[in-house]
Amino acid sequence: MTTAPAGADPTMEAIGHAVTEGRAGNSASARQKLLGLWSAIGVTGDPLHRCSLAHYLADLHEDPAQALAWDIRALDAADAVTEQRVQEHHASLHIAGFYPSLHLNLADNYRRLGSFEAATEHINAARTHAPGLPQDPYGDLVRDSIQEVADAIAGRDRSRRASAPGSAA
């Protein structure tokens, strides 16, 4: 029997493997694996697991209504995650750093559905939380995406962004 190293989180590892599979183009298989994990975790399971899983599962849905449902679950779970739990997972993470991306994704889904008022509320929330983003390529990507979605909202553009997670390259 193999034992996990101290501090290992098999659920987060399984989520990571499914995400990698989805990014490699196996969206249907990744979606099924994440849905299986969601069933195992349950709606009252570890909020970090629920937040991470829902956030990534949303990216595997082409339909903005389906993505929206998962992004709402991710934001709800983030509100239940403690800083201590995030730090237990990885010392460099902070729960505040999750919010710009979570609100960005909600804004993008609402925009694609034509609900521009709700999209505006969430893009403004993403901007409010953006100062907490790291000054690194990830932070730059989220900041650039916030501006891209804000421009699309202003233009009442409902098309899928080429740079959105899950979009074909």
Side-chain angles (χ1 to χ4, degrees):
M1 181 171 143
T2 306
T3 58
D9 185 333
T11 301
M12 291 300 282
E13 289 176 12
I15 292 168
H17 290 302
V19 168
T20 299
E21 185 175 347
R23 288 180 180 162
N26 302 320
S27 296
S29 175
R31 215 173 12 251
Q32 286 309 112
K33 287 177 181 173
L34 289 174
L35 287 170
L37 285 169
W38 182 262
S39 293
I41 294 167
V43 296
T44 59
D46 182 331
L48 179 63
H49 293 161
R50 290 185 292 123
C51 179
S52 300
L53 188 150
H55 180 65
Y56 290 120
L57 191 53
D59 292 345
L60 295 172
H61 288 283
E62 293 279 331
D63 179 350
Q66 289 178 315
L68 177 64
W70 287 105
D71 281 327
I72 289 170
R73 289 178 182 117
L75 182 62
D76 286 345
D79 288 341
V81 177
T82 65
E83 186 68 17
Q84 177 183 347
R85 176 61 182 106
V86 173
Q87 292 281 303
E88 287 170 1
H89 176 65
H90 198 285
S92 71
L93 293 179
H94 299 281
I95 190 61
F98 290 30
Y99 285 98
S101 179
L102 294 171
H103 283 290
L104 166 65
N105 290 351
L106 286 164
D108 202 30
N109 292 325
Y110 282 122
R111 175 193 64 81
R112 289 188 59 216
L113 291 166
S115 184
F116 295 107
E117 185 175 326
T120 299
E121 288 175 23
H122 282 283
I123 207 64
N124 288 341
R127 285 180 170 147
T128 297
H129 291 284
L133 286 168
Q135 296 298 320
D136 64 9
Y138 171 76
D140 293 343
L141 173 70
V142 174
R143 282 186 287 276
D144 291 347
S145 296
I146 289 170
Q147 187 58 52
E148 184 181 358
V149 170
D151 292 345
I153 292 167
R156 299 300 195 246
D157 181 355
R158 293 178 58 179
S159 62
R160 183 172 175 97
R161 295 179 302 119
S163 62
S167 293

